[in-house]
Short mmCIF file of all heavy atoms in Angstrom, two decimals:
data_model
loop_
_atom_site.label_atom_id
_atom_site.label_comp_id
_atom_site.label_asym_id
_atom_site.label_seq_id
_atom_site.Cartn_x
_atom_site.Cartn_y
_atom_site.Cartn_z
N HIS M 1003 -74.44 -34.79 -12.29
CA HIS M 1003 -74.14 -33.99 -13.44
C HIS M 1003 -74.82 -32.64 -13.39
O HIS M 1003 -74.22 -31.58 -13.61
CB HIS M 1003 -74.54 -34.75 -14.73
CG HIS M 1003 -74.54 -33.90 -15.96
ND1 HIS M 1003 -73.37 -33.55 -16.63
CD2 HIS M 1003 -75.51 -33.34 -16.71
CE1 HIS M 1003 -73.63 -32.82 -17.66
NE2 HIS M 1003 -74.94 -32.69 -17.71
N VAL M 1004 -76.16 -32.66 -13.09
CA VAL M 1004 -76.91 -31.42 -12.98
C VAL M 1004 -76.38 -30.56 -11.92
O VAL M 1004 -76.22 -29.33 -12.08
CB VAL M 1004 -78.40 -31.74 -12.74
CG1 VAL M 1004 -79.20 -30.45 -12.58
CG2 VAL M 1004 -78.99 -32.59 -13.90
N LYS M 1005 -76.03 -31.11 -10.78
CA LYS M 1005 -75.48 -30.33 -9.67
C LYS M 1005 -74.15 -29.68 -10.06
O LYS M 1005 -73.91 -28.51 -9.70
CB LYS M 1005 -75.27 -31.19 -8.40
CG LYS M 1005 -74.96 -30.43 -7.18
CD LYS M 1005 -74.95 -31.37 -5.92
CE LYS M 1005 -74.78 -30.58 -4.64
NZ LYS M 1005 -73.45 -29.96 -4.51
N GLU M 1006 -73.35 -30.40 -10.78
CA GLU M 1006 -72.06 -29.86 -11.22
C GLU M 1006 -72.21 -28.72 -12.17
O GLU M 1006 -71.48 -27.70 -12.05
CB GLU M 1006 -71.22 -31.03 -11.86
CG GLU M 1006 -69.84 -30.54 -12.30
CD GLU M 1006 -69.03 -31.65 -12.94
OE1 GLU M 1006 -69.53 -32.78 -13.00
OE2 GLU M 1006 -67.89 -31.39 -13.35
N ILE M 1007 -73.13 -28.83 -13.12
CA ILE M 1007 -73.21 -27.75 -14.11
C ILE M 1007 -74.08 -26.59 -13.64
O ILE M 1007 -73.87 -25.45 -14.08
CB ILE M 1007 -73.80 -28.29 -15.47
CG1 ILE M 1007 -75.23 -28.81 -15.27
CG2 ILE M 1007 -72.87 -29.37 -16.04
CD1 ILE M 1007 -75.85 -29.22 -16.60
N ASN M 1008 -75.09 -26.81 -12.74
CA ASN M 1008 -75.95 -25.78 -12.29
C ASN M 1008 -75.64 -25.31 -10.90
O ASN M 1008 -76.04 -24.16 -10.50
CB ASN M 1008 -77.44 -26.21 -12.38
CG ASN M 1008 -77.94 -26.28 -13.79
OD1 ASN M 1008 -77.32 -25.73 -14.71
ND2 ASN M 1008 -79.06 -26.90 -14.04
N GLY M 1009 -75.08 -26.14 -10.08
CA GLY M 1009 -74.82 -25.81 -8.73
C GLY M 1009 -76.03 -25.81 -7.87
O GLY M 1009 -76.02 -25.51 -6.65
N LYS M 1010 -77.23 -26.18 -8.45
CA LYS M 1010 -78.44 -26.13 -7.66
C LYS M 1010 -79.37 -27.22 -8.20
O LYS M 1010 -79.54 -27.38 -9.41
CB LYS M 1010 -79.14 -24.72 -7.84
CG LYS M 1010 -80.40 -24.57 -7.08
CD LYS M 1010 -80.91 -23.13 -7.21
CE LYS M 1010 -82.14 -22.91 -6.43
NZ LYS M 1010 -82.73 -21.54 -6.58
N LEU M 1011 -79.99 -27.95 -7.25
CA LEU M 1011 -80.96 -28.97 -7.63
C LEU M 1011 -82.34 -28.66 -7.15
O LEU M 1011 -83.36 -29.02 -7.74
CB LEU M 1011 -80.56 -30.35 -7.04
CG LEU M 1011 -79.28 -30.95 -7.58
CD1 LEU M 1011 -78.95 -32.26 -6.79
CD2 LEU M 1011 -79.42 -31.31 -9.09
N TYR M 1012 -82.43 -27.95 -6.01
CA TYR M 1012 -83.71 -27.77 -5.30
C TYR M 1012 -84.24 -26.35 -5.38
O TYR M 1012 -83.51 -25.39 -5.48
CB TYR M 1012 -83.53 -28.15 -3.80
CG TYR M 1012 -83.16 -29.58 -3.61
CD1 TYR M 1012 -81.83 -29.99 -3.62
CD2 TYR M 1012 -84.10 -30.52 -3.35
CE1 TYR M 1012 -81.46 -31.33 -3.40
CE2 TYR M 1012 -83.76 -31.87 -3.11
CZ TYR M 1012 -82.46 -32.25 -3.14
OH TYR M 1012 -82.09 -33.53 -2.94
N THR M 1013 -85.55 -26.24 -5.30
CA THR M 1013 -86.18 -24.95 -5.06
C THR M 1013 -86.17 -24.67 -3.58
O THR M 1013 -85.95 -25.52 -2.76
CB THR M 1013 -87.62 -24.92 -5.59
OG1 THR M 1013 -88.19 -23.67 -5.36
CG2 THR M 1013 -88.48 -25.94 -4.82
N GLY M 1014 -86.50 -23.42 -3.19
CA GLY M 1014 -86.65 -23.06 -1.79
C GLY M 1014 -88.11 -23.13 -1.33
O GLY M 1014 -88.37 -22.68 -0.22
N ALA M 1015 -88.99 -23.67 -2.19
CA ALA M 1015 -90.39 -23.58 -1.90
C ALA M 1015 -90.82 -24.47 -0.68
O ALA M 1015 -91.75 -24.18 0.00
CB ALA M 1015 -91.24 -24.04 -3.11
N PHE M 1016 -90.10 -25.61 -0.54
CA PHE M 1016 -90.47 -26.54 0.49
C PHE M 1016 -89.34 -26.66 1.51
O PHE M 1016 -88.15 -26.72 1.12
CB PHE M 1016 -90.81 -27.92 -0.03
CG PHE M 1016 -92.05 -27.96 -0.87
CD1 PHE M 1016 -92.04 -28.57 -2.08
CD2 PHE M 1016 -93.20 -27.38 -0.40
CE1 PHE M 1016 -93.19 -28.61 -2.84
CE2 PHE M 1016 -94.37 -27.44 -1.17
CZ PHE M 1016 -94.37 -28.04 -2.39
N ILE M 1017 -89.69 -26.72 2.79
CA ILE M 1017 -88.66 -27.01 3.80
C ILE M 1017 -88.69 -28.55 4.01
O ILE M 1017 -89.62 -29.12 4.50
CB ILE M 1017 -88.98 -26.30 5.14
CG1 ILE M 1017 -88.99 -24.78 4.91
CG2 ILE M 1017 -87.99 -26.74 6.18
CD1 ILE M 1017 -89.40 -24.01 6.15
N LEU M 1018 -87.62 -29.24 3.51
CA LEU M 1018 -87.56 -30.67 3.59
C LEU M 1018 -87.05 -31.11 4.93
O LEU M 1018 -86.29 -30.38 5.61
CB LEU M 1018 -86.68 -31.20 2.46
CG LEU M 1018 -87.15 -30.84 1.02
CD1 LEU M 1018 -86.18 -31.35 0.02
CD2 LEU M 1018 -88.51 -31.34 0.72
N CYS M 1019 -87.44 -32.30 5.28
CA CYS M 1019 -86.93 -32.89 6.59
C CYS M 1019 -85.44 -33.04 6.55
O CYS M 1019 -84.79 -33.03 5.48
CB CYS M 1019 -87.63 -34.23 6.81
SG CYS M 1019 -89.36 -34.13 7.18
N ALA M 1020 -84.88 -33.23 7.76
CA ALA M 1020 -83.44 -33.41 7.90
C ALA M 1020 -82.91 -34.42 6.89
O ALA M 1020 -83.51 -35.48 6.66
CB ALA M 1020 -83.11 -33.93 9.32
N ASN M 1021 -81.79 -34.09 6.26
CA ASN M 1021 -81.39 -34.78 5.04
C ASN M 1021 -80.37 -35.90 5.23
O ASN M 1021 -79.80 -36.37 4.24
CB ASN M 1021 -80.90 -33.79 3.94
CG ASN M 1021 -79.63 -33.03 4.38
OD1 ASN M 1021 -78.85 -33.52 5.23
ND2 ASN M 1021 -79.45 -31.85 3.84
N THR M 1022 -80.12 -36.35 6.43
CA THR M 1022 -79.08 -37.39 6.66
C THR M 1022 -79.67 -38.69 7.13
O THR M 1022 -78.96 -39.52 7.66
CB THR M 1022 -78.01 -36.88 7.67
OG1 THR M 1022 -78.69 -36.61 8.91
CG2 THR M 1022 -77.30 -35.66 7.17
N ALA M 1023 -80.96 -38.91 6.92
CA ALA M 1023 -81.60 -40.13 7.43
C ALA M 1023 -81.00 -41.40 6.82
O ALA M 1023 -81.03 -42.43 7.49
CB ALA M 1023 -83.10 -40.08 7.08
N TYR M 1024 -80.46 -41.32 5.67
CA TYR M 1024 -79.85 -42.52 5.06
C TYR M 1024 -78.32 -42.46 5.09
O TYR M 1024 -77.66 -43.25 4.39
CB TYR M 1024 -80.36 -42.67 3.62
CG TYR M 1024 -81.82 -43.09 3.55
CD1 TYR M 1024 -82.79 -42.10 3.49
CD2 TYR M 1024 -82.20 -44.42 3.62
CE1 TYR M 1024 -84.15 -42.50 3.49
CE2 TYR M 1024 -83.53 -44.78 3.58
CZ TYR M 1024 -84.51 -43.81 3.50
OH TYR M 1024 -85.85 -44.17 3.49
N GLY M 1025 -77.79 -41.56 5.87
CA GLY M 1025 -76.34 -41.56 6.16
C GLY M 1025 -75.43 -40.89 5.19
O GLY M 1025 -74.21 -41.00 5.25
N HIS M 1026 -76.02 -40.11 4.27
CA HIS M 1026 -75.21 -39.41 3.25
C HIS M 1026 -75.07 -37.92 3.63
O HIS M 1026 -76.03 -37.32 4.17
CB HIS M 1026 -75.84 -39.55 1.86
CG HIS M 1026 -75.95 -40.93 1.40
ND1 HIS M 1026 -74.89 -41.66 0.93
CD2 HIS M 1026 -77.05 -41.75 1.31
CE1 HIS M 1026 -75.29 -42.86 0.55
NE2 HIS M 1026 -76.62 -42.97 0.78
N SER M 1027 -74.01 -37.33 3.28
CA SER M 1027 -73.79 -35.88 3.59
C SER M 1027 -74.49 -35.04 2.49
O SER M 1027 -74.82 -33.91 2.76
CB SER M 1027 -72.31 -35.55 3.61
OG SER M 1027 -71.68 -35.91 2.36
N GLU M 1028 -74.68 -35.57 1.28
CA GLU M 1028 -75.39 -34.81 0.24
C GLU M 1028 -76.86 -35.06 0.27
O GLU M 1028 -77.32 -36.26 0.31
CB GLU M 1028 -74.82 -35.26 -1.10
CG GLU M 1028 -73.40 -34.81 -1.38
CD GLU M 1028 -73.35 -33.40 -2.02
OE1 GLU M 1028 -74.41 -32.72 -2.03
OE2 GLU M 1028 -72.24 -32.98 -2.42
N LYS M 1029 -77.68 -34.00 0.28
CA LYS M 1029 -79.11 -34.13 0.34
C LYS M 1029 -79.63 -35.06 -0.76
O LYS M 1029 -80.45 -35.97 -0.54
CB LYS M 1029 -79.75 -32.75 0.23
CG LYS M 1029 -81.28 -32.77 0.44
CD LYS M 1029 -81.91 -31.44 0.04
CE LYS M 1029 -81.54 -30.38 1.04
NZ LYS M 1029 -82.34 -29.12 0.81
N TYR M 1030 -79.19 -34.82 -1.99
CA TYR M 1030 -79.77 -35.63 -3.11
C TYR M 1030 -79.42 -37.12 -2.98
O TYR M 1030 -80.23 -37.93 -3.43
CB TYR M 1030 -79.32 -35.04 -4.42
CG TYR M 1030 -77.93 -35.38 -4.92
CD1 TYR M 1030 -77.70 -36.53 -5.74
CD2 TYR M 1030 -76.81 -34.63 -4.57
CE1 TYR M 1030 -76.47 -36.81 -6.20
CE2 TYR M 1030 -75.58 -34.94 -5.04
CZ TYR M 1030 -75.37 -36.05 -5.85
OH TYR M 1030 -74.09 -36.38 -6.26
N LEU M 1031 -78.30 -37.45 -2.38
CA LEU M 1031 -77.99 -38.88 -2.21
C LEU M 1031 -78.91 -39.49 -1.18
O LEU M 1031 -79.32 -40.70 -1.32
CB LEU M 1031 -76.50 -39.03 -1.80
CG LEU M 1031 -75.45 -38.65 -2.82
CD1 LEU M 1031 -74.07 -38.80 -2.24
CD2 LEU M 1031 -75.63 -39.49 -4.10
N ASN M 1032 -79.35 -38.79 -0.19
CA ASN M 1032 -80.32 -39.31 0.78
C ASN M 1032 -81.65 -39.46 0.07
O ASN M 1032 -82.40 -40.43 0.36
CB ASN M 1032 -80.45 -38.33 1.97
CG ASN M 1032 -79.31 -38.52 2.96
OD1 ASN M 1032 -79.26 -39.48 3.70
ND2 ASN M 1032 -78.36 -37.60 2.92
N HIS M 1033 -81.99 -38.59 -0.82
CA HIS M 1033 -83.23 -38.73 -1.53
C HIS M 1033 -83.20 -39.87 -2.50
O HIS M 1033 -84.21 -40.59 -2.65
CB HIS M 1033 -83.60 -37.37 -2.25
CG HIS M 1033 -84.02 -36.35 -1.25
ND1 HIS M 1033 -83.82 -34.98 -1.48
CD2 HIS M 1033 -84.63 -36.43 -0.03
CE1 HIS M 1033 -84.25 -34.31 -0.41
NE2 HIS M 1033 -84.72 -35.16 0.47
N ILE M 1034 -82.08 -40.09 -3.12
CA ILE M 1034 -81.99 -41.30 -4.00
C ILE M 1034 -82.17 -42.51 -3.16
O ILE M 1034 -82.86 -43.48 -3.56
CB ILE M 1034 -80.59 -41.34 -4.72
CG1 ILE M 1034 -80.54 -40.25 -5.82
CG2 ILE M 1034 -80.32 -42.72 -5.27
CD1 ILE M 1034 -81.38 -40.57 -7.07
N ALA M 1035 -81.57 -42.58 -1.97
CA ALA M 1035 -81.70 -43.72 -1.09
C ALA M 1035 -83.18 -43.89 -0.65
O ALA M 1035 -83.62 -45.01 -0.56
CB ALA M 1035 -80.81 -43.56 0.16
N LEU M 1036 -83.86 -42.77 -0.41
CA LEU M 1036 -85.29 -42.80 -0.10
C LEU M 1036 -86.07 -43.42 -1.22
O LEU M 1036 -86.93 -44.22 -1.05
CB LEU M 1036 -85.79 -41.45 0.27
CG LEU M 1036 -87.27 -41.28 0.41
CD1 LEU M 1036 -87.83 -42.08 1.57
CD2 LEU M 1036 -87.64 -39.78 0.60
N PHE M 1037 -85.76 -42.94 -2.45
CA PHE M 1037 -86.53 -43.46 -3.65
C PHE M 1037 -86.30 -44.98 -3.80
O PHE M 1037 -87.21 -45.70 -4.14
CB PHE M 1037 -86.07 -42.74 -4.88
CG PHE M 1037 -86.29 -41.24 -4.87
CD1 PHE M 1037 -85.52 -40.37 -5.67
CD2 PHE M 1037 -87.31 -40.68 -4.06
CE1 PHE M 1037 -85.74 -39.02 -5.60
CE2 PHE M 1037 -87.52 -39.30 -4.03
CZ PHE M 1037 -86.74 -38.48 -4.84
N ARG M 1038 -85.05 -45.45 -3.52
CA ARG M 1038 -84.78 -46.87 -3.59
C ARG M 1038 -85.61 -47.64 -2.54
O ARG M 1038 -86.13 -48.70 -2.76
CB ARG M 1038 -83.26 -47.14 -3.39
CG ARG M 1038 -82.39 -46.72 -4.55
CD ARG M 1038 -81.00 -47.30 -4.37
NE ARG M 1038 -80.09 -46.87 -5.48
CZ ARG M 1038 -79.06 -46.08 -5.31
NH1 ARG M 1038 -78.77 -45.64 -4.11
NH2 ARG M 1038 -78.33 -45.73 -6.34
N HIS M 1039 -85.61 -47.04 -1.34
CA HIS M 1039 -86.42 -47.62 -0.24
C HIS M 1039 -87.86 -47.77 -0.70
O HIS M 1039 -88.50 -48.85 -0.51
CB HIS M 1039 -86.27 -46.75 0.97
CG HIS M 1039 -87.00 -47.22 2.17
ND1 HIS M 1039 -86.94 -46.55 3.40
CD2 HIS M 1039 -87.78 -48.28 2.41
CE1 HIS M 1039 -87.65 -47.18 4.29
NE2 HIS M 1039 -88.18 -48.26 3.72
N MET M 1040 -88.40 -46.69 -1.26
CA MET M 1040 -89.82 -46.68 -1.65
C MET M 1040 -90.10 -47.66 -2.76
O MET M 1040 -91.01 -48.49 -2.69
CB MET M 1040 -90.19 -45.27 -2.15
CG MET M 1040 -90.28 -44.20 -1.06
SD MET M 1040 -90.56 -42.59 -1.82
CE MET M 1040 -91.45 -41.76 -0.56
N PHE M 1041 -89.32 -47.53 -3.83
CA PHE M 1041 -89.76 -48.21 -5.09
C PHE M 1041 -89.03 -49.51 -5.38
O PHE M 1041 -89.52 -50.36 -6.16
CB PHE M 1041 -89.58 -47.23 -6.25
CG PHE M 1041 -90.54 -46.09 -6.25
CD1 PHE M 1041 -90.10 -44.87 -5.70
CD2 PHE M 1041 -91.83 -46.24 -6.67
CE1 PHE M 1041 -91.00 -43.80 -5.61
CE2 PHE M 1041 -92.73 -45.18 -6.58
CZ PHE M 1041 -92.33 -43.94 -6.08
N ILE M 1042 -87.84 -49.71 -4.85
CA ILE M 1042 -87.14 -50.97 -5.09
C ILE M 1042 -87.40 -51.99 -3.97
O ILE M 1042 -87.75 -53.11 -4.23
CB ILE M 1042 -85.61 -50.79 -5.23
CG1 ILE M 1042 -85.31 -49.77 -6.33
CG2 ILE M 1042 -84.90 -52.06 -5.46
CD1 ILE M 1042 -85.77 -50.17 -7.73
N LEU M 1043 -87.28 -51.49 -2.71
CA LEU M 1043 -87.50 -52.40 -1.59
C LEU M 1043 -88.96 -52.60 -1.25
O LEU M 1043 -89.43 -53.73 -1.02
CB LEU M 1043 -86.76 -51.85 -0.35
CG LEU M 1043 -85.24 -51.82 -0.46
CD1 LEU M 1043 -84.62 -51.22 0.84
CD2 LEU M 1043 -84.64 -53.17 -0.75
N ASP M 1044 -89.71 -51.50 -1.22
CA ASP M 1044 -91.11 -51.56 -0.71
C ASP M 1044 -92.16 -51.63 -1.85
O ASP M 1044 -93.35 -51.85 -1.53
CB ASP M 1044 -91.40 -50.32 0.10
CG ASP M 1044 -90.86 -50.41 1.54
OD1 ASP M 1044 -90.20 -51.39 1.83
OD2 ASP M 1044 -91.12 -49.48 2.31
N HIS M 1045 -91.76 -51.42 -3.08
CA HIS M 1045 -92.72 -51.43 -4.23
C HIS M 1045 -93.86 -50.52 -3.91
O HIS M 1045 -95.06 -50.89 -4.06
CB HIS M 1045 -93.23 -52.87 -4.45
CG HIS M 1045 -92.09 -53.87 -4.71
ND1 HIS M 1045 -91.37 -53.83 -5.95
CD2 HIS M 1045 -91.54 -54.84 -4.02
CE1 HIS M 1045 -90.46 -54.78 -5.91
NE2 HIS M 1045 -90.54 -55.38 -4.71
#
């Protein structure tokens, strides 16, 4: 929703690692997958 209305989610302050580690084309979907990995699977 935020991406649709603003067209932007991220700042340019940090250079983030390659964004397809979890197989998604959208950066934010890979980050959601990372958060699930961290907090749902790994606690």
Side-chain angles (χ1 to χ4, degrees):
H1003 169 75
V1004 176
K1005 189 172 188 293
E1006 181 179 358
I1007 63 173
N1008 286 348
K1010 183 177 182 180
L1011 294 174
Y1012 297 87
T1013 182
F1016 293 131
I1017 299 175
L1018 301 177
C1019 290
N1021 63 26
T1022 58
Y1024 289 91
H1026 300 285
S1027 59
E1028 290 274 8
K1029 184 190 293 187
Y1030 79 92
L1031 293 177
N1032 283 283
H1033 288 149
I1034 288 288
L1036 170 62
F1037 301 153
R1038 288 193 182 113
H1039 182 178
M1040 289 173 151
F1041 293 97
I1042 303 299
L1043 296 179
D1044 282 3
H1045 303 287

